[in-house]
């Protein structure tokens, strides 16, 4: 055996501590005394009650009614590490945002707890009293003030106080240090049962596990996640207002994209020009994008989730853009338009586009209260199958293709037609099938209608002229008492209207 020539690793300093090797922050008592003194009074808070606060208590009451006598734990979540001491931007768990009305970057490590109280004696006459446990702003006499890069005022700005968050949300607040005792109170086999939202915050989940010390509580927690998802199937007035804002802001972003098309065509990574234009807009006008933007030119449009966005954008091709602005309250739009890069559809592009548009229009007709969610998809699929049959692409009739045991038409549209939309782009994802796919449409539901046709460039079953063309048209729909409203109707979708709109924006 040869001699081991690996140099000896120095053992004095554990690897985990080495991040501080670049830090030259002084820690002498004299420095600490000096930096923690000599600060003026903090300015008094200007925070006001958020408009969401008038709606969140009804949401909490609806949840309360489903879990009488139980303690419900809804964490905001914590930071997700990106690398070393760098984190991703914080976004609270959607269930937490829904029940507190808090939005962008509010509030890392916070935990909303619905404590069971005697029925009728809780908040708004419910059976629960809500308390928001937070890590409040630390005093300037603490080390956190100047040395904590995640939470310290010197590093991330002044965090809210308990009073601030109580004003903002209308929910009672308490220090995070009180959480453990509050969760454990009266817990036991014959005592209070605790449920925690799964996968929101590992440390809080662990704490709850420790406290309840019962095995197989996972199912109980999943039932809570399901209830929280189902609570969002019908949006209240404030949520609908936020959805309108998200959609309108997204439409503005699509206008900016069209204006940027000449620049995109001129750049070797034109798809990134489109993506970057939209990200910049989303960040300036809202919180962020609600999901990774798809900017897919030419053949890339046939890859359903094309997010590399590193391709060229060429005149004569279609570019499929699927993008949504998430506004500060965290509600997001989800809109797709497939645009002719040079502003004019070719005859074959228009033929395929029109088939997808007809499918979308049929889905709109089906999206009315009392219908089933799955009827919307069925209506779109009927048109898609019929068009494919007319073009001679199906080995069977459209009717035969539509049979559950066949589905040939789905070769060219493997995704679904609709999903609920709200705080999450795929909202209400934990809802039971009987309320989602088999659910009955009700006023206040918001979902997408997004049929498409995707012909890959090596698909030997389609005419050559179809190859490399992908089209999706995606709109955001609100079910109303007598039908529906296309929230994204202001963004042109008819081919002539798309061309006229583009011509106006491009000054042609
Ligand atoms: N943008 C993702 C989707 O349309 O579902
Ligand atoms: Mn969608
Ligand atoms: Mn989409």
């Amino acid at each position: 055996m040869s001699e081991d020539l690996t140099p000896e690793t120095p053992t004095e300093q554990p690897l985990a501590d080495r991040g501080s090797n670049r830090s030259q922050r002084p820690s002498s008592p004299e420095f600490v005394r000096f930096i923690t003194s000599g600060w003026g009074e903090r300015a008094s808070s200007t925070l006001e009650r958020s408009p969401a606060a008038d709606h969140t208590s009804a949401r909490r009451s609806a949840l309360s009614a489903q879990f009488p006598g139980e303690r419900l734990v809804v964490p905001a979540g914590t930071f997700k590490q990106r690398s070393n001491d760098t984190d991703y931007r914080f976004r609270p768990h959607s269930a937490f945002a829904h029940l507190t009305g808090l939005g962008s970057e509010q509030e890392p490590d916070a935990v909303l707890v619905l404590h069971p109280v005697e029925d009728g004696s809780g908040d708004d006459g419910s059976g629960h009293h809500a308390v928001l446990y937070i890590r409040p702003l630390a005093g300037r006499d603490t080390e956190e003030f100047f040395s904590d890069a995640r939470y310290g005022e010197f590093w991330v700005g002044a965090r809210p106080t308990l009073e601030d968050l109580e004003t903002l949300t209308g929910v009672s607040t308490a220090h995070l240090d009180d959480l453990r005792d509050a969760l454990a109170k009266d817990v036991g086999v014959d005592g209070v049962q605790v449920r925690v939202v799964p996968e929101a915050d590992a440390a809080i989940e662990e704490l709850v596990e420790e406290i309840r010390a019962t095995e197989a509580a996972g199912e109980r927690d999943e039932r809570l996640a399901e209830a929280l998802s189902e609570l969002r199937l019908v949006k209240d007035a404030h949520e609908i207002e936020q959805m309108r804002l998200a959609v309108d802001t997204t439409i503005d972003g699509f206008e900016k994209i069209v204006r940027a098309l000449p620049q995109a065509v001129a750049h070797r990574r034109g798809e990134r020009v489109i993506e970057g234009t939209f990200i910049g807009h989303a960040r300036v006008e809202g919180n962020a994008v609600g999901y990774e933007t798809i900017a897919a030119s030419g053949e890339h449009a046939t890859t359903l989730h094309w997010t590399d966005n590193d391709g060229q954008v060429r005149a004569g091709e279609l570019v499929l853009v699927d993008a949504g602005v998430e506004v500060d309250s965290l509600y997001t739009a989800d809109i797709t338009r497939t645009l002719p890069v040079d502003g004019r559809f070719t005859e074959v592009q228009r033929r395929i586009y029109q088939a997808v548009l007809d499918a979308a229009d049929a889905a709109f007709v089906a999206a009315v209260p009392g219908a089933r969610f799955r009827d919307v998809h069925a209506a779109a699929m009927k048109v898609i199958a019929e068009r494919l049959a007319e073009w001679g692409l199906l080995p069977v009739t459209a009717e035969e293709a539509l049979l559950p045991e066949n589905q040939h038409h789905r070769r060219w549209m493997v995704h679904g037609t609709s999903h609920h939309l709200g705080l999450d782009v795929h909202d209400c994802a934990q809802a039971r099938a009987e309320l989602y796919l088999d659910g009955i449409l009700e006023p206040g539901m918001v979902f997408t209608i997004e049929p498409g046709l995707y012909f890959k460039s090596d698909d030997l079953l389609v005419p050559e002229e179809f190859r490399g063309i992908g089209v999706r048209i995606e709109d955001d729909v609100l079910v109303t008492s007598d039908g529906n409203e296309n929230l994204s109707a202001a963004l042109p979708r008819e081919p002539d209207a798309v061309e006229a709109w583009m011509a106006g924006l491009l000054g042609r």
Side-chain angles (χ1 to χ4, degrees):
M1 219 177 163
S2 64
E3 196 186 342
D4 182 4
L5 295 177
T6 315
E8 243 182 53
T9 314
T11 51
E12 316 82 61
Q13 189 189 25
L15 272 177
D17 294 347
R18 295 200 196 155
S20 59
N21 282 354
R22 64 184 164 79
S23 171
Q24 302 185 52
R25 195 181 315 132
S27 57
S28 67
E30 173 53 16
F31 169 74
V32 172
R33 186 198 62 74
F34 190 64
I35 197 170
T36 55
S37 61
W39 303 102
E41 284 286 301
R42 288 184 201 274
S44 53
S45 173
T46 53
L47 275 182
E48 288 174 11
R49 183 178 165 89
S50 98
D54 294 335
H55 300 267
T56 53
S57 67
R59 299 175 198 164
R60 293 191 298 272
S61 293
L63 184 70
S64 160
Q66 294 189 54
F67 300 96
E70 298 194 34
R71 181 166 291 136
L72 309 175
V73 183
V74 186
T78 192
F79 293 102
K80 182 170 163 43
Q81 182 190 32
R82 181 183 169 120
S83 183
N84 298 321
D85 58 353
T86 307
D87 296 320
Y88 287 100
R89 188 184 295 285
F90 176 75
R91 183 193 190 273
H93 191 281
S94 296
F96 178 87
H98 188 235
L99 295 180
T100 62
L102 292 172
S104 54
E105 301 188 50
Q106 292 168 317
E107 190 46 60
D109 301 324
V111 182
L112 176 74
V113 181
L114 268 59
H115 291 290
V117 293
E118 203 179 307
D119 198 25
S121 71
D123 304 337
D124 292 336
S126 74
H128 286 83
H129 174 54
V131 180
L132 190 53
Y133 295 86
I134 66 156
R135 186 184 168 114
L137 175 63
R140 276 133 160 202
D141 54 348
T142 62
E143 267 206 33
E144 176 179 309
F145 166 54
F146 66 91
S147 77
D148 191 323
R150 259 190 169 176
Y151 302 103
E153 186 177 345
F154 246 94
W155 296 80
V156 294
R159 295 161 56 77
T161 63
L162 295 179
E163 295 74 31
D164 284 340
L165 274 190
E166 192 156 335
T167 303
L168 194 63
T169 61
V171 179
S172 303
T173 51
H175 198 292
L176 199 56
D177 289 350
D178 300 338
L179 179 67
R180 172 182 277 274
D181 288 348
L183 289 184
K185 190 163 181 283
D186 302 329
V187 169
V189 181
D190 299 319
V192 171
Q193 302 293 317
V194 185
R195 297 187 198 238
V196 59
V197 175
E199 291 169 25
D201 185 324
I204 301 298
E205 249 182 291
E206 212 171 286
L207 177 62
V208 169
E209 290 292 356
E210 233 175 80
I211 283 165
R212 63 187 171 189
T214 50
E215 53 306 334
E219 238 175 73
R220 303 174 63 81
D221 295 342
E222 277 166 26
R223 173 70 197 108
L224 175 61
E226 183 181 284
L228 286 163
S229 238
E230 292 170 359
L231 201 58
R232 309 209 308 256
L233 282 166
V234 175
K235 270 64 179 170
D236 63 31
H238 185 257
E239 294 185 282
I240 291 168
E241 188 189 303
Q242 292 303 302
M243 287 306 303
R244 289 186 191 283
L245 179 65
V247 167
D248 291 347
T249 312
T250 298
I251 291 174
D252 292 344
F254 272 84
E255 287 197 358
K256 286 190 183 152
I257 285 172
V258 171
R259 286 204 186 92
L261 277 178
Q263 195 194 337
V265 171
H267 197 279
R268 73 192 152 81
R269 295 207 295 183
E271 291 175 345
R272 289 285 170 95
V273 173
I274 292 172
E275 182 189 8
T277 300
F278 195 79
I279 290 178
H281 172 76
R283 195 65 194 134
V284 170
E285 302 297 338
N287 181 51
V289 290
Y291 53 91
E292 295 303 330
T293 299
I294 296 168
S297 197
E299 224 270 321
H300 289 162
T302 67
T303 300
L304 299 180
H305 285 171
W306 175 260
T307 52
D308 292 359
N309 302 338
D310 57 358
Q312 267 188 277
V313 173
R314 298 178 184 88
E317 288 181 343
L318 295 176
V319 61
L320 183 157
V321 182
D322 184 341
V325 173
E326 175 188 86
V327 290
D328 290 343
S329 58
L330 306 182
Y331 287 83
T332 188
D334 178 10
I335 300 180
T336 305
R337 287 293 182 267
T338 307
L339 308 169
V341 172
D342 53 17
R344 308 285 291 188
F345 290 97
T346 65
E347 187 278 322
V348 68
Q349 288 167 349
R350 190 178 268 260
R351 208 183 325 150
I352 295 167
Y353 188 96
Q354 189 62 48
V356 175
L357 188 62
D358 291 346
D361 287 345
F364 271 96
V365 172
V368 294
R372 285 181 316 164
F373 186 82
R374 61 162 72 246
D375 296 339
V376 179
H377 174 65
M381 287 310 92
K382 183 167 181 297
V383 174
I384 291 287
E386 285 168 358
R387 293 295 177 280
L388 291 167
E390 282 163 27
W391 294 334
L393 302 189
L394 297 178
V396 294
T397 64
E399 257 176 23
E400 286 164 340
L402 286 162
L403 295 173
E405 62 271 28
N406 287 334
Q407 300 286 303
H408 300 87
H409 55 289
R410 296 294 298 278
R411 172 185 173 107
W412 294 287
M413 181 185 148
V414 295
H415 62 78
T417 303
S418 299
H419 56 80
H420 279 269
L421 182 67
L423 282 165
D424 291 327
V425 63
H426 295 166
D427 211 35
C428 314
Q430 275 86 39
R432 284 166 289 178
E434 57 261 43
L435 295 182
Y436 199 127
L437 199 53
D438 294 315
I440 304 293
L441 301 186
E442 285 179 50
M445 287 183 167
V446 176
F447 51 83
T448 64
I449 288 182
E450 50 175 307
L453 278 172
Y454 311 89
F455 301 109
K456 294 203 166 288
S457 56
D458 56 355
D459 188 336
L460 303 181
L461 299 192
V462 304
E464 253 185 72
E465 59 182 2
F466 280 23
R467 294 181 197 166
I469 294 179
V471 173
R472 176 162 66 253
I473 304 168
E474 177 171 29
D475 284 283
D476 301 341
V477 191
L478 167 69
V479 179
T480 58
S481 56
D482 59 354
N484 64 59
E485 178 186 344
N486 180 0
L487 297 177
S488 41
L491 190 57
R493 52 200 285 286
E494 305 277 340
D496 289 343
V498 169
E499 288 183 353
W501 169 71
M502 290 182 72
L505 291 170
L506 293 168
R508 289 176 184 158

